[in-house]
Amino acid sequence: MSAALTFSPTTTHASGDSFSATLSEELRDAVGRFVRTVRTRSGTPHDAQVDALAELDRNGPMSAAALAEIRGVTHQSMRLVVSRLEAAGLVAREPDPSDGRGWLMTLTDAGRHAAAAHRQARSLWLAQAIHAKLSGKERETIAQAIPLLLRLIEPD
């Protein structure tokens, strides 16, 4: 576990890294470990199919190409993922109204249920961990940090 950052915002390390650079590395590491731990301990695996379901659940119907771009994979890889999801009855293809030759992937009722079940399992595990491990003041600190984290990822 990383030690708390204990130097001022203007402190630099021998390597020349600024406080912001060090903070960013600590934050990136903590967020990554946090996400992986929540997925593992909640029993919700991280795989391409689960990620594609979550993306469709968040953003609505989209083409396999758009889904591939968002997930950072090749179009061919995403087509395989979508085919598996379609075979499992979790997504369906519908004609793209803006492209007569294209298709949009949309969640079926079963796909929406699967995405919601994964989201619920993660939220339940996290709520239990927050309740068991954090004081009231620490919970308030986490609540105050959420808007700051969201501001960091806003488009410029």
Side-chain angles (χ1 to χ4, degrees):
M1 182 174 259
S2 298
L5 297 175
T6 57
F7 39 91
S8 75
T10 58
T11 301
T12 57
H13 290 285
S15 66
D17 291 338
S18 70
F19 178 79
S20 292
T22 302
L23 178 60
S24 68
E25 181 58 26
E26 291 283 330
L27 181 59
R28 184 208 54 77
D29 181 59
V31 169
R33 288 176 37 209
F34 178 83
V35 168
R36 287 186 298 276
T37 299
V38 170
R39 282 184 170 155
T40 299
R41 293 189 182 167
S42 67
T44 56
H46 169 68
D47 67 29
Q49 290 180 36
V50 171
D51 290 349
L53 283 178
E55 206 62 56
L56 289 168
D57 191 44
R58 269 191 301 276
N59 296 310
M62 66 180 73
S63 69
L67 195 51
E69 184 176 335
I70 290 170
R71 299 302 311 150
V73 299
T74 66
H75 183 226
Q76 293 80 4
S77 294
M78 187 53 67
R79 285 175 51 102
L80 291 172
V81 169
V82 167
S83 292
R84 290 182 187 123
L85 291 171
E86 191 174 19
L90 300 174
V91 300
R93 294 175 196 240
E94 59 183 41
D96 184 342
S98 66
D99 178 359
R101 299 172 300 157
W103 296 92
L104 297 177
M105 305 304 119
T106 185
L107 290 178
T108 63
D109 287 340
R112 273 187 289 287
H113 177 73
H118 283 161
R119 192 173 50 253
Q120 265 184 328
R122 289 188 297 271
S123 292
L124 177 61
W125 181 87
L126 188 53
Q128 291 170 342
I130 288 169
H131 179 74
K133 295 182 177 187
L134 300 180
S135 69
K137 185 164 177 56
E138 289 170 324
R139 290 180 210 155
E140 288 176 20
T141 300
I142 295 288
Q144 291 170 356
I146 293 170
L148 299 175
L149 294 170
L150 292 173
R151 195 165 79 205
L152 289 174
I153 62 172
E154 286 176 356
D156 293 332

